Amino acid sequence: MTALPHKSASMDSQHLLSDEELDEYLREDPDEFVGAVYHSRKMQIMRYLKSVTRGILSADELADVFQETMLSLIRLCKKAVDPKNSMRLVWDVAKKRAIDGRRKKLKLSSRVLSNQEVLEANALADLDGASFGIRWKYADPAEKAELDACLIDVISSLPERQRIISQLFFEMYEELRERDKYRPLADALSRITGKHEDVVTVKSSLQAAMGRIRSELRRRGFKLITEHTR
Amino acid sequence: MNKKSDERAFESIVAASLRRVDWEDAPDPTALPELNESEMSVLEALGIDFIERLKAGDTESFVDESSEIHVDDTEAVKRELAFSLDRSVEVDDELKVELERKEQELIERRKRQDEKNDSGA
């Protein structure tokens, strides 16, 4: 057995174990694997959970999801798991727990794994009618990636009501887009607030949220999809 | 090409962008959001023996159940409604029904109030 990096050393120095070293842990000492992941990668995992939950959870709620992730890993490591690419296993578990946490916060019942191809095809079709369509289609991929990283931060900065409504909207996007009705959005918000939410007000809040997202992106210099062209 | 098309495309792009992280097998470490102060504190507070405690069955929620989220910010709702009315919300069939219902409620309420005033006079 290859000597594993000394556990206490990794605890003391927050030494970032390589993926290969973590594979080694999982293969040789699965019982210690989760501890090694925790001491070496907890910051990265927490940031990933924040990313998948899109900044809608409080710090305590995020800690709950982190705990659920670690518990799931402990349970998984008691079974025979493939030690190759052990971090893939960690990300997979973390993503599932984070999506569960996100939908729980939004009081949406089941985990819905949307179809990437359909959603991206919709976006492409919508771009055909937009003034910035061509500009976006041929934009530098790095600039598009910048949007991914920036959006969570922008949405997190919205007032709470707008933040929840916009997150619900994007979580239910396929359904709302297809039906072009906002009643399901108002109903979903009612489940969170515990009172009747009328469509007019919810739609207004959503428009206000979209306006803020757009202007905040513009303020941060992200002009690809925030400026109309003639 | 009009404003509505731009808004729809904007929403579509944002939806796809937000969902992308759900589809990726592994995150790009350079694109992960930073933790704020309270998130850092709660992570640090888990302590060095966190995994050992979990293995021993010592788990409890970090969330104070009494601190439910409050999104019923009446003033904020009023401001948003005023904002949207100023900008002339596009009235589709669904909104039209909702507005008519509200108008009817208002008429009924006024009628009841008038009747009450009449009987009290």
Side-chain angles (χ1 to χ4, degrees):
Chain A
M1 172 178 170
T2 314
L4 296 174
H6 194 262
K7 190 176 154 197
S8 60
S10 63
M11 286 173 179
D12 293 342
S13 62
Q14 287 286 303
H15 169 63
L16 190 73
L17 297 174
S18 69
D19 287 6
E20 292 71 26
E21 285 173 316
L22 288 169
D23 288 350
E24 192 78 13
Y25 259 104
L26 189 55
R27 185 165 47 245
E28 305 293 348
D29 195 358
D31 199 41
E32 292 298 326
F33 171 71
V34 184
V37 168
Y38 171 71
H39 292 295
S40 170
R41 302 289 181 98
K42 64 179 176 186
M43 182 81 80
Q44 241 184 28
I45 293 170
M46 192 77 160
R47 289 173 65 197
Y48 181 57
L49 295 175
K50 182 175 180 177
S51 168
V52 180
T53 55
R54 301 178 193 153
I56 58 169
L57 302 189
S58 67
D60 288 342
E61 289 166 336
L62 208 54
D64 269 358
V65 176
F66 184 88
Q67 178 171 268
E68 285 301 318
T69 302
M70 292 297 126
L71 281 170
S72 295
L73 283 172
I74 290 169
R75 282 192 289 268
L76 265 176
C77 288
K78 286 180 181 162
K79 302 174 187 169
V81 285
D82 182 4
K84 281 183 197 161
N85 210 345
S86 57
M87 276 311 289
R88 178 71 64 87
L89 175 75
V90 173
W91 299 131
D92 186 48
V93 169
K95 187 201 298 182
K96 284 176 178 154
R97 297 291 81 81
I99 293 175
D100 287 346
R102 187 175 84 204
R103 294 188 66 85
K104 183 181 169 195
K105 173 85 175 189
L106 297 174
K107 295 197 190 302
L108 296 171
S109 52
S110 56
R111 188 189 306 155
V112 178
L113 292 177
S114 56
N115 185 325
Q116 179 179 11
E117 284 177 10
V118 170
L119 202 55
E120 293 196 334
N122 286 343
L124 275 178
D126 288 343
L127 278 170
D128 281 342
S131 65
F132 51 76
I134 303 249
R135 197 171 55 192
W136 173 257
K137 277 181 192 170
Y138 297 102
D140 179 0
E143 204 168 347
K144 293 181 179 179
E146 208 179 302
L147 177 71
D148 294 355
C150 184
L151 265 175
I152 291 167
D153 197 35
V154 168
I155 293 178
S156 303
S157 70
L158 293 174
E160 188 159 33
R161 183 180 169 85
Q162 290 183 11
R163 190 167 72 241
I164 298 289
I165 290 175
S166 57
Q167 290 287 2
L168 276 172
F169 174 72
F170 289 119
E171 195 73 21
M172 304 167 69
Y173 185 70
E174 291 92 324
E175 180 191 354
L176 295 169
R177 183 184 191 279
E178 193 180 319
R179 294 170 62 180
D180 202 20
K181 298 280 181 247
Y182 291 83
R183 167 55 59 198
L185 184 63
D187 290 344
L189 184 65
S190 291
R191 284 194 291 275
I192 295 176
T193 61
K195 69 181 196 63
H196 173 75
E197 298 283 350
D198 66 71
V199 177
V200 181
T201 317
V202 170
K203 192 167 180 180
S204 303
S205 300
L206 179 65
Q207 284 184 335
M210 289 301 165
R212 277 193 193 229
I213 293 172
R214 195 190 304 268
S215 60
E216 182 58 22
L217 285 173
R218 196 181 300 126
R219 193 186 68 77
R220 294 180 187 210
F222 197 90
K223 295 176 180 167
L224 259 183
I225 54 170
T226 59
E227 286 191 346
H228 302 291
T229 53
R230 295 176 195 282
Chain B
M1 294 181 187
N2 57 36
K3 194 179 166 201
K4 192 170 181 183
S5 300
D6 276 6
E7 284 172 359
R8 193 174 170 91
F10 177 79
E11 290 168 2
S12 239
I13 288 170
V14 173
S17 173
L18 286 173
R19 214 65 74 76
R20 206 161 292 133
V21 71
D22 291 0
W23 302 319
E24 286 167 349
D25 288 334
D28 170 3
T30 62
L32 293 175
E34 294 297 333
L35 299 181
N36 61 33
E37 208 172 302
S38 51
E39 290 158 351
M40 285 292 286
S41 301
V42 81
L43 188 60
E44 288 305 319
L46 296 179
I48 201 164
D49 60 343
F50 177 60
I51 300 300
E52 281 66 33
R53 283 188 280 116
L54 288 185
K55 285 179 179 172
D58 179 11
T59 62
E60 60 177 307
S61 175
F62 297 90
V63 179
D64 175 5
E65 294 298 334
S66 63
S67 63
E68 283 285 301
I69 56 167
H70 298 288
V71 291
D72 178 26
D73 183 349
T74 310
E75 282 308 308
V77 172
K78 281 181 188 165
R79 279 197 302 276
E80 281 163 8
L81 193 56
F83 166 84
S84 64
L85 290 175
D86 282 349
R87 294 162 68 95
S88 308
V89 171
E90 202 165 310
V91 181
D92 58 17
D93 291 346
E94 191 179 23
L95 283 187
K96 200 172 168 189
V97 170
E98 188 81 21
L99 286 169
E100 282 170 359
R101 187 182 63 76
K102 278 181 165 295
E103 191 181 4
Q104 195 57 41
E105 273 178 15
L106 197 62
I107 291 169
E108 294 292 330
R109 202 181 309 153
R110 279 188 185 157
K111 205 186 282 178
R112 283 197 299 275
Q113 188 64 43
D114 288 346
E115 285 169 3
K116 198 175 163 187
N117 292 342
D118 288 348
S119 64

